[in-house]
């Protein structure tokens, strides 16, 4: 089997950028860039030290992460300026922007103007996404710079900063490299997640039905049994699978297992004791 040439695995060249504003499902192609596009990811750690070890760290604790994508866009249409410059307001109808205006009172929150930013290396090829970078909530903090010079072009400077999307699972809230997976359902924040029944018994060869429910910050609840991933810690003792809106566990052999439901970063567990016939 051919493993491919090393040169095939090396990415060079420019990238296509798209930006999907919050509340929209249609990505905006941002056009050509000047000077390329750069991604910087910076994790910040706090080092734990002691008198005995001096400055040698005993451990390091992650206290923050930052992702930043910088580029300059050559397509300076009014539509693009109003799309990527958060302080710009647009005038005109749905089909055409006639002007963009500036000047607002302090207090604008960039997180309310963030969207999904995708960087696709052109050298990766059409349809190949394993090298794509997707920042889930990105907003542009750069100043606007329009050149009025003979040998210079108008550009839209962009410094896209990523903000955490806490509707996504833990460990997948800032950005990813590779295929995009949308976790925007549900759009309300979950504050409680639990399994019923709690710590039940079942006999070998018999079944028992589990459900899991979520409570949202507004107090409403929803049955999440079909959407959750169900796991048995010991399938030799009990198996579990979703059927007709229930998570059905089957006793296989005597013993105790942990039944767990996982849902976009939330987990809930209970024990199941399997008794002899």
């Amino acid at each position: 089997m051919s493993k491919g040439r090393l040169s095939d695995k090396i990415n060079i060249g420019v990238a296509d950028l798209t930006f999907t504003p919050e509340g929209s499902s249609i990505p905006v192609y941002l056009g050509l860039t000047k000077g390329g596009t750069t991604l910087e990811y910076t994790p910040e750690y706090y080092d734990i030290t002691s008198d005995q070890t001096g400055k040698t760290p005993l451990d390091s604790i992650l206290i923050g992460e930052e992702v930043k994508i910088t580029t300059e866009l050559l397509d300076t249409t009014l539509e693009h300026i109003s799309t990527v410059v958060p302080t710009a307001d647009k005038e005109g109808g749905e089909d055409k922007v006639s002007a963009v205006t500036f000047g607002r009172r302090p207090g604008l929150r960039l997180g309310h103007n963030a969207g999904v930013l995708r960087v696709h290396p052109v050298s990766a090829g059409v349809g190949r996404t394993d090298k794509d970078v997707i920042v889930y909530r990105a907003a542009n903090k750069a100043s606007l710079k329009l050149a009025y010079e003979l040998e210079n072009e108008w550009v839209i400077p962009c410094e896209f900063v990523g903000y955490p999307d806490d509707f996504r699972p833990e460990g997948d809230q800032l950005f990813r490299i590779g295929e995009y997976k949308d976790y925007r359902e549900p759009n309300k924040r979950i504050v409680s997640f639990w399994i019923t029944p709690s710590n039940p018994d079942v006999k070998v060869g018999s079944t028992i039905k589990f459900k899991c429910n979520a409570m949202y910050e507004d107090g409403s609840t929803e049955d999440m049994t079909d959407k959750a991933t169900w796991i048995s810690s010991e399938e030799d003792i009990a198996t579990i699978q979703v059927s007709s809106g229930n998570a059905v566990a089957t006793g296989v052999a005597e013993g105790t297992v942990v039944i767990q439901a996982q849902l976009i970063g939330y987990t809930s567990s209970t024990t199941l004791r399997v008794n002899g016939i």
Side-chain angles (χ1 to χ4, degrees), residues 16-95:
D16 285 326
L17 278 75
T18 59
F19 181 78
T20 307
E22 179 73 24
S24 173
S25 60
I26 302 175
V28 178
Y29 175 60
L30 297 183
L32 302 175
T33 61
K34 182 176 183 179
T37 302
T38 302
L39 179 144
E40 297 176 67
Y41 167 65
T42 308
E44 184 179 357
Y45 295 93
Y46 172 74
D47 292 335
I48 300 175
T49 60
S50 71
D51 294 340
Q52 287 82 358
T53 60
K55 294 185 178 180
T56 303
L58 298 172
D59 200 353
S60 299
I61 302 174
L62 180 69
I63 59 175
E65 299 168 274
E66 181 184 24
V67 62
K68 180 171 65 176
I69 292 178
T70 55
T71 190
E72 291 187 337
L73 305 178
L74 279 170
D75 189 342
T76 54
T77 59
L78 297 181
E79 288 83 359
H80 279 180
I81 293 175
S82 63
T83 296
V84 301
V85 180
T87 54
D89 282 333
K90 60 183 178 181
E91 291 183 349
E94 293 292 331
D95 298 331

Side-chain angles (χ1 to χ4, degrees), residues 11 31 50 55 66 72 78 102-103 107 126-128 176 191 203 208 224 258:
N11 259 356
S50 71
K55 294 185 178 180
E66 181 184 24
E72 291 187 337
L78 297 181
F102 298 83
V126 177
R128 182 176 171 182
R176 70 167 51 201
V191 295
K203 291 184 178 180
I208 185 170
M224 293 291 189
V258 175

Side-chain angles (χ1 to χ4, degrees), residues 4 8-9 36 44 52 61 83 127 134 138 171 181 189 194-195 215 222 240 249 260 265:
D8 294 335
K9 302 176 183 178
E44 184 179 357
Q52 287 82 358
I61 302 174
T83 296
I134 300 100
K181 187 171 183 180
R189 186 175 288 106
W194 69 95
I195 294 175
M215 176 181 285
E222 184 177 355
I240 189 163
Q260 185 178 82

Side-chain angles (χ1 to χ4, degrees), residues 104-261:
R104 62 175 64 242
R105 293 178 179 176
L108 173 73
R109 302 189 66 158
L110 286 188
H112 295 167
N113 293 268
V116 178
L117 179 68
R118 180 191 289 266
V119 181
H120 172 72
V122 172
S123 60
V126 177
R128 182 176 171 182
T129 61
D130 60 308
K131 296 294 194 305
D132 285 12
V133 172
I134 300 100
V135 183
Y136 306 125
R137 295 181 65 234
N140 179 25
K141 294 180 70 175
S143 304
L144 186 62
K145 179 176 64 176
L146 303 177
Y148 292 86
E149 301 170 358
L150 180 62
E151 296 182 355
N152 214 337
E153 302 88 8
W154 275 24
V155 296
I156 307 176
C158 292
E159 183 181 299
F160 287 102
V161 176
Y163 303 101
D165 185 348
D166 56 8
F167 287 111
R168 299 183 67 87
E170 176 71 21
D172 184 24
Q173 297 184 342
L174 194 57
F175 76 102
R176 70 167 51 201
I177 302 173
E179 185 178 350
Y180 181 54
K181 187 171 183 180
D182 192 353
Y183 285 98
R184 293 299 297 178
E185 290 290 343
N187 284 328
K188 295 182 290 185
R189 186 175 288 106
I190 294 173
V191 295
S192 183
F193 181 63
W194 69 95
I195 294 175
T196 57
S198 178
N199 304 323
D201 292 2
V202 70
K203 291 184 178 180
V204 172
S206 297
T207 61
I208 185 170
K209 297 176 181 179
F210 288 94
K211 285 187 174 292
C212 63
N213 294 275
M215 176 181 285
Y216 299 108
E217 55 191 345
D218 63 1
S220 62
T221 61
E222 184 177 355
D223 185 340
M224 293 291 189
T225 305
D226 284 335
K227 297 179 181 180
T229 300
W230 292 84
I231 299 171
S232 169
S233 63
E234 298 286 346
E235 293 196 340
D236 292 340
I237 297 176
T239 61
I240 189 163
Q241 59 182 3
V242 176
S243 176
S244 302
N246 295 284
V248 182
T250 303
V252 177
E254 290 188 64
T256 300
V257 298
V258 175
I259 300 296
Q260 185 178 82

